């Protein structure tokens, strides 16, 4: 086997599908590969045939030119696939297994992995703890928006689906296990969502919608989703959410109209660093807006889940401080209200097996909630464009036509 094609970042606003290397059991030099990782031997890895590989809002940050991502980077960290080959050190994963790949790359050996903090593995990124496929400053592991992809530490990382036929029938749902479903769920767990909770979720993109679905799964009584995209708000309402349009004013005022009080028990930031203002400021980028809002609308003693992406470097930011990841956060407000904060990558392996069971046993319809939409690999550039324009969809790339054939 020698052929492969993948979705390549070609500069701000541009991606294209191009021929790329077939995976090998050694990390080779290439766009974004950390020099300290070049030549790294990977006998513990497996090669997957990609069955489903999704476009993520985090990918869009790079494609918009908001990071230092190099051209030629093969994108994609949301991967579901079939094992087609394994390295000599792989014991338990077998050819033919249908598996979900956590977007966090983790070794299973370091202190953080042993503590189930797989989003900050110490051994896969020479620059800092934490890594992901096809992402800037994450060590240079090749992305999975491709026909074939390599997964290191396969016995540790891969989640095997117990029944292949059942899994293929539910593949659009199971494809969400690599990132957005656990990420949204983690945001809600971090915020303390439980039976009877009232919850505000900032952002009606796929992660926000996944968080809303997760809130219901956790027993929330009222889930309120805020955004300025009317189509995405309509998608949130389609499975029982209340909504606020932040372009029409402050969420606090609209929350009071829904609940009879201006505060919720818990809140989730599913927006991140490209946040915009509210009301008349809705078209203006104000990266601290959502963080300050979730502090404002959460009751004293409550908690905030912050799975929305924040970066240490944003070359496209509106001011010099934000370019360094420094935002005007009202930390005094959060301190005065004794709020708890949880930030960072979701440790996918903490949740993915349980969420897989919820999908397989029909306890949740996550694909329907996020409006999962299959497209071919060749249609990936169109998917990126439409998603960037605000489409109320989660695009799932189908490199081999395995979803279309179902």
């Amino acid at each position: 086997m020698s052929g492969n094609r993948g979705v390549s970042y070609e500069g701000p606003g541009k991606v294209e599908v191009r021929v790329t290397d077939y995976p090998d059991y050694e990390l080779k030099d290439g766009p974004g590969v950390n020099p300290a990782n070049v030549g790294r031997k990977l006998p513990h890895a497996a090669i997957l045939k990609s069955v489903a590989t999704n476009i993520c809002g985090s990918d869009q940050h790079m494609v918009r030119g908001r990071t230092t991502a190099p051209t030629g980077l093969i994108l994609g960290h949301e991967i579901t696939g079939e094992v087609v080959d394994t390295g000599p050190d792989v014991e338990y994963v077998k050819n033919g297994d249908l598996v979900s790949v956590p977007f966090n790359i983790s070794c299973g050996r370091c202190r953080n992995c042993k503590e189930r903090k797989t989003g900050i593995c110490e051994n896969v990124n020479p620059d800092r703890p934490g890594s992901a496929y096809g992402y800037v400053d994450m060590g240079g592991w090749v992305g999975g928006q491709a026909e074939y992809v390599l997964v290191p530490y396969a016995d540790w990382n891969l989640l095997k689906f117990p029944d292949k036929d059942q899994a293929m029938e539910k593949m659009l749902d199971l494809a969400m296990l690599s990132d957005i479903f656990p990420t949204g769920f983690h945001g809600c767990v971090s915020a303390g969502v439980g039976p009877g909770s009232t919850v505000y979720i900032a952002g009606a993109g796929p992660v926000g919608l996944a968080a809303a679905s997760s809130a219901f799964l956790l027993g929330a009584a009222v889930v309120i989703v805020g955004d300025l995209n009317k189509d995405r708000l309509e998608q949130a309402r389609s499975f029982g959410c209340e909504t606020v349009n932040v372009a029409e004013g402050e969420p606090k005022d609209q929350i009071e109209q829904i609940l009879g009080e201006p505060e919720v028990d818990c809140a989730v930031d599913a927006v991140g660093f490209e946040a915009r203002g509210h009301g008349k400021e809705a078209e203006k980028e104000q990266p601290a807006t959502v963080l300050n809002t979730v502090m404002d609308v959460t009751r004293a003693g409550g908690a905030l889940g912050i799975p929305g992406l924040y970066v240490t470097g944003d070359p496209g930011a509106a001011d010099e401080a934000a370019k360094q990841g420094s935002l005007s956060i009202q930390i005094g407000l959060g301190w005065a209200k004794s709020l708890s904060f949880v930030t960072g990558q979701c440790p996918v392996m903490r949740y993915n097996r349980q969420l897989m069971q919820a999908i397989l046993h029909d306890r949740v319809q996550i694909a329907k909630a996020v409006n999962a939409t299959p497209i071919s690999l060749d249609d990936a550039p169109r998917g990126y464009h439409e998603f960037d324009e605000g489409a109320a969809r989660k695009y799932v790339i189908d490199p081999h036509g395995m979803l279309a054939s179902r």
Side-chain angles (χ1 to χ4, degrees):
M1 186 76 70
S2 59
N4 196 14
R5 295 192 306 148
V7 180
S8 171
Y9 169 64
E10 297 296 324
K14 185 178 181 183
V15 299
E16 64 180 41
V17 179
R18 65 173 178 84
V19 174
T20 187
D21 293 335
Y22 187 80
D24 187 24
Y25 293 103
E26 178 180 322
L27 195 54
K28 293 184 167 58
D29 197 10
V33 179
N34 190 299
N37 263 348
V38 174
R40 186 169 180 165
K41 305 297 184 184
L42 306 168
H44 45 68
I47 296 172
L48 305 189
K49 177 182 180 179
S50 296
V51 174
T53 175
N54 315 332
I55 297 175
C56 180
S58 298
D59 298 321
Q60 287 285 15
H61 293 307
M62 290 187 291
V63 173
R64 292 186 188 115
R66 298 299 295 266
T67 72
T68 57
T71 58
L73 182 72
I74 300 299
L75 301 167
H77 56 270
E78 299 190 15
I79 307 161
T80 310
E82 181 181 9
V83 177
V84 294
D85 196 52
T86 58
D89 289 354
V90 177
E91 292 187 70
Y92 306 111
V93 169
K94 304 298 181 185
N95 286 2
D97 287 349
L98 198 59
V99 295
S100 178
V101 184
F103 80 90
N104 326 106
I105 303 173
S106 57
C107 70
R109 296 154 164 81
C110 70
R111 173 179 175 176
N112 285 339
C113 284
K114 289 177 180 179
E115 294 177 356
R116 301 179 76 196
K117 301 173 183 175
T118 53
I120 43 174
C121 174
E122 297 174 336
N123 290 331
V124 288
N125 183 357
D127 283 340
R128 65 179 68 88
S131 189
Y133 303 87
Y135 212 83
V136 61
D137 296 331
M138 287 290 190
W141 301 90
V142 179
Q145 286 174 15
E147 293 171 333
Y148 298 91
V149 63
L150 184 103
V151 175
Y153 305 103
D155 281 330
W156 165 255
N157 280 304
L158 296 178
L159 174 67
K160 178 183 173 181
F161 301 137
D163 183 285
K164 289 182 69 172
D165 289 336
Q166 182 191 30
M168 285 304 302
E169 290 296 327
K170 294 180 177 290
M171 182 50 64
L172 280 182
D173 294 280
L174 294 171
M176 304 303 132
L177 288 174
S178 57
D179 183 353
I180 66 163
F181 192 12
T183 293
F185 193 83
H186 178 61
C188 289
V189 170
S190 301
V193 177
S197 296
T198 57
V199 187
Y200 176 66
I201 295 170
V207 170
L209 296 173
S213 184
S214 298
F216 285 124
L217 189 60
L218 288 163
V222 183
V223 179
I224 304 169
V225 178
D227 206 298
L228 49 77
N229 182 314
K230 293 181 180 179
D231 290 339
R232 290 181 172 181
L233 291 174
E234 183 178 350
Q235 180 64 25
R237 289 192 293 272
S238 74
F239 60 97
C241 300
E242 302 285 347
T243 59
V244 300
N245 188 333
V246 300
E248 296 177 358
E250 290 297 325
K252 193 169 189 175
D253 298 331
Q254 298 179 64
I255 288 171
E256 185 170 21
Q257 293 175 16
I258 295 167
L259 296 178
E261 58 183 359
E263 290 185 326
V264 292
D265 296 324
C266 347
V268 176
D269 172 4
V271 178
F273 74 103
E274 289 193 65
R276 298 186 180 275
H278 298 152
K280 294 180 180 179
E281 302 291 313
E283 295 304 315
K284 183 179 180 181
E285 191 168 301
Q286 295 181 346
T289 298
V290 171
L291 288 171
N292 290 330
T293 294
V294 293
M295 285 191 284
D296 187 38
V297 304
T298 302
R299 67 175 182 83
L304 312 175
I306 309 175
L309 175 66
Y310 289 88
V311 293
T312 56
D314 175 10
D319 60 69
E320 290 303 314
K323 288 180 180 179
Q324 308 303 318
S326 180
L327 309 180
S328 298
I329 300 170
Q330 293 178 288
I331 192 65
L333 174 64
W335 188 93
K337 297 177 76 173
S338 296
L339 299 175
S340 301
F341 300 71
V342 176
T343 66
Q345 284 189 31
C346 163
V348 170
M349 292 175 68
R350 190 178 297 175
Y351 308 106
N352 63 350
R353 184 175 298 277
Q354 299 95 311
L355 296 178
M356 174 187 73
Q357 296 287 13
I359 289 169
L360 294 178
H361 295 281
D362 299 317
R363 299 303 181 192
V364 65
Q365 293 183 304
I366 188 65
K368 185 177 180 180
V370 302
N371 197 15
T373 304
I375 58 174
S376 70
L377 183 64
D378 289 321
D379 277 341
R382 174 181 63 83
Y384 267 95
H385 174 73
E386 292 179 0
F387 189 38
D388 194 47
E389 291 291 307
R393 298 179 181 276
K394 176 67 173 178
Y395 286 103
V396 180
I397 299 171
D398 179 10
H400 296 277
M402 296 174 74
L403 303 182
S405 68
R406 308 293 292 195

